[in-house]
Amino acid sequence: MHDLGVGITLGAHQSIGFKGLLLYGTPQQKEKYLPRLATGETIAAFCLTEPASGSDAASIRTTARPSPCGSYYTLDGGKIWISNGGLADLFTVFAKTPVKDEATGEVKEKITAFIVERAFGGVTHGPPEKKMGIKASNTAEVHFEGVRVPTENVLGPLGAGFKVAMNILNNGRFGMAAAMAGTMRGILGKAVEYAANRTQFGDKIHNFGTIQEKLARMAMLHYVTESMAYMISANMDQGATDFQTEAAISKIFGSEAAWMVTDECIQIMGGMGFMKEAGVERVMRDLRVFRIFEGTNDILRLFVALNGFQSAGNRLRVLQRALKTPLGNAALLSREAASRLRRTAGLGSGLTLKDVVHPDLDPSAKQLVHAVDLFGATVEGQLLKYGKKIIDEQFVLMRVADAAIDLYTMAVLLSRASRSLAQSHPTAQHEKLLCETWCDEAYKRLSTSLSTLNTDGARQTFRNLRGISRAVVENGGVVSPNPLGF
């Protein structure tokens, strides 16, 4: 196993540090900076987070004021928890700038991205932060005081910094699944080595059902995460540009799967797993941050769900417009009517995967089709119920996001296992087992969650959770007294 802190150093440099330059840099900017960034002579960092703006990136307070002559911006502000903050000589920095609306003439504060060199002067950093994990990486505050940034160092359009930041993060997230898959591969190897050699009650512990289930689930989590990483990478290599949702899903799933796999490894190893000597406790501490940075998993779940609702809303708007001129849209409306009649009769949407999924996996493919139909009907039902207010229904959004994640995991496994079966890979039957088992459990999990989402019981549970939370906050912690009265 390799140190995740070293991986963070490299990732903060190339995955997000200078990714903005690759995505939005001008030819002159790329020519000036990329050669030394590529060799590692110059280290880069991504500067977005501030004390008052974490997940709410739009609320940053760092400012960049244009000079009267228009040749530079004066940058002032501070960023926190910056990976490579104490090492970097080049920073992608986001700051509020005054931007004039050409149509109205009104000036508004908007976020703009800048390429900032430490050599510009006025750039300082604090001491390395004392962290729970990834201690091999440098994390520090970075301060900008009166930094003169040349106008030619604006990155992307003026006032488009929020979009630049989000696209950098979207492009960087796909690599998270690969890192997590590699970590799980190493951890699973450690767990297997211990289970294969540890004898208890007169037998190797890998022969006991409890340990077998743990190892099997660890293997499935690794297989899903690795499959996601390669699926997204292949799509990107083939020129896909709309992969933000898939990248977010892979980050959510991979970071949580790696945590579960490492936790189970420690459990299999027992007391030995808890010792520093085994090296697993360090991995667990290192992994914890992956559910937080580059978009917390909670925020990304909302992103996944709302992206889906936006697409569904666009489709419904098309239908609404078509209904206003039914004669001119007869074909569209008839297809929609037929689809709804099929769903009402319990016949599904008519979608089939027979041409793309190996015949040996047909039962799992049918489960995916049924899950897609249920998911589509649920999303449409929730959208019709809440309309634009769906954005405030986070209890619903989180469950829809989890269902979307299950759908995507089923799809990537069916794709990978089908390929292995079609090409008669030596591991094809093993992969078939992984795929079938995962799809069956994911289908049951998704079906249960979505089918109960509209019930009175689910709504009452949401109200209960909201009430419990408010009481805890108002009380400053636990509300109920100690049973013994002290």
Side-chain angles (χ1 to χ4, degrees):
M1 292 179 297
H2 302 287
D3 196 309
L4 283 166
V6 176
I8 293 297
T9 301
L10 295 173
H13 170 63
Q14 59 86 26
S15 185
I16 57 175
F18 68 82
K19 182 60 69 74
L21 192 58
L22 289 173
L23 295 174
Y24 292 96
T26 64
Q28 294 78 16
Q29 290 171 340
K30 291 179 179 180
E31 182 180 359
K32 180 178 181 180
Y33 293 116
L34 282 181
R36 293 178 63 84
L37 289 166
T39 61
E41 295 170 85
T42 298
I43 300 297
F46 178 83
C47 297
L48 177 63
T49 304
E50 299 182 5
S53 67
S55 296
D56 182 12
S59 64
I60 64 171
R61 296 179 180 176
T62 297
T63 61
R65 301 298 175 194
S67 64
C69 64
S71 62
Y72 64 87
Y73 285 82
T74 301
L75 182 67
D76 288 286
K79 305 290 183 175
I80 62 172
W81 303 328
I82 304 304
S83 296
N84 294 349
L87 307 176
D89 289 313
L90 193 76
F91 305 86
T92 300
V93 184
F94 299 87
K96 289 279 183 72
T97 55
V99 179
K100 184 178 180 180
D101 188 317
E102 296 299 330
T104 65
E106 185 181 3
V107 176
K108 292 184 178 180
E109 293 280 302
K110 292 189 175 182
I111 299 173
T112 298
F114 296 89
I115 303 168
V116 180
E117 298 178 33
R118 189 182 288 272
F120 288 163
V123 181
T124 58
H125 66 268
E129 299 286 0
K130 296 178 180 179
K131 301 169 293 187
M132 174 182 177
I134 57 169
K135 294 183 179 182
S137 68
N138 177 274
T139 307
E141 294 183 3
V142 180
H143 306 283
F144 305 96
E145 297 180 16
V147 182
R148 288 193 173 188
V149 184
T151 302
E152 58 265 27
N153 277 43
V154 170
L155 184 62
L158 193 66
F162 183 79
K163 181 180 179 181
V164 171
M166 294 305 103
N167 281 339
I168 290 172
L169 293 172
N170 287 336
N171 274 268
R173 286 188 192 114
F174 82 94
M176 192 85 70
M180 296 297 93
T183 300
M184 281 186 271
R185 184 180 287 271
I187 289 292
L188 183 54
K190 266 191 171 292
V192 168
E193 181 185 11
Y194 187 86
N197 290 287
R198 175 69 166 170
T199 299
Q200 291 286 277
F201 308 107
D203 203 354
K204 300 295 186 185
I205 65 172
H206 72 85
N207 290 319
F208 297 124
T210 301
I211 301 300
Q212 289 172 342
E213 181 170 354
K214 290 181 186 297
L215 292 174
R217 294 193 181 283
M218 292 163 75
M220 284 194 292
L221 289 169
H222 168 263
Y223 188 66
V224 175
T225 304
E226 189 175 71
S227 300
M228 283 185 180
Y230 279 94
M231 175 70 82
I232 296 170
S233 299
N235 290 342
M236 293 173 70
D237 285 346
Q238 291 167 10
T241 56
D242 185 13
F243 54 82
Q244 293 87 348
T245 302
E246 291 91 334
I249 287 174
S250 71
K251 190 269 188 185
I252 295 167
F253 186 92
S255 60
E256 293 177 2
W259 176 267
M260 288 185 278
V261 166
T262 306
D263 183 55
E264 287 290 49
C265 178
I266 292 174
Q267 193 68 20
I268 289 170
M269 296 177 73
M272 180 57 70
F274 195 69
M275 298 298 112
K276 278 186 175 292
E277 178 187 349
V280 185
E281 59 82 30
R282 173 178 57 79
V283 177
M284 192 157 202
R285 286 187 287 102
D286 288 349
L287 282 172
R288 188 58 187 87
V289 75
F290 284 82
R291 287 152 61 192
I292 298 172
F293 65 10
E294 292 197 33
T296 70
N297 286 10
D298 310 278
I299 293 296
L300 289 181
R301 276 187 165 86
L302 296 177
F303 169 77
V304 168
L306 289 172
N307 253 18
F309 275 111
Q310 184 178 34
S311 297
N314 290 339
R315 180 170 171 274
L316 286 176
R317 278 193 287 273
V318 169
L319 287 174
Q320 285 177 330
R321 287 196 292 269
L323 285 168
K324 292 179 181 178
T325 54
L327 292 178
N329 294 280
L332 171 64
L333 293 174
S334 63
R335 284 196 304 270
E336 183 65 23
S339 175
R340 289 172 185 269
L341 282 171
R342 286 182 62 87
R343 286 208 303 265
T344 303
L347 299 175
S349 61
L351 175 68
T352 179
L353 299 176
K354 284 186 177 181
D355 294 334
V356 291
V357 171
H358 193 277
D360 289 359
L361 293 170
D362 187 54
S364 297
K366 287 179 178 176
Q367 286 179 320
L368 176 57
V369 169
H370 293 157
V372 168
D373 288 341
L374 176 59
F375 183 80
T378 301
V379 167
E380 184 175 297
Q382 295 297 316
L383 195 57
L384 290 172
K385 178 179 179 181
Y386 293 108
K388 292 181 180 180
K389 292 183 179 179
I390 189 65
I391 194 172
D392 299 319
E393 297 297 326
Q394 291 193 3
F395 290 111
V396 172
L397 293 173
M398 287 297 187
R399 285 152 182 82
V400 168
D402 283 336
I405 292 169
D406 271 332
L407 280 178
Y408 188 59
T409 62
M410 293 172 74
V412 297
L413 257 60
L414 283 165
S415 174
R416 182 176 178 182
S418 290
R419 177 177 179 270
S420 294
L421 287 165
Q423 297 180 358
S424 300
H425 285 192
T427 61
Q429 291 305 313
H430 177 69
E431 293 184 50
K432 177 174 176 285
L433 277 178
L434 290 167
C435 179
E436 287 176 336
T437 308
W438 179 269
C439 286
D440 187 58
E441 293 197 336
Y443 174 67
K444 290 173 182 175
R445 187 166 53 238
L446 180 151
S447 299
T448 300
S449 175
L450 294 185
S451 61
T452 59
L453 199 56
N454 261 333
T455 64
D456 291 337
R459 285 190 284 271
Q460 185 59 52
T461 297
F462 298 159
R463 285 193 290 269
N464 290 350
L465 291 171
R466 188 175 283 112
I468 292 169
S469 173
R470 286 172 177 165
V472 169
V473 171
E474 289 170 4
N475 198 61
V478 175
V479 178
S480 52
N482 186 287
L484 299 180
F486 56 83

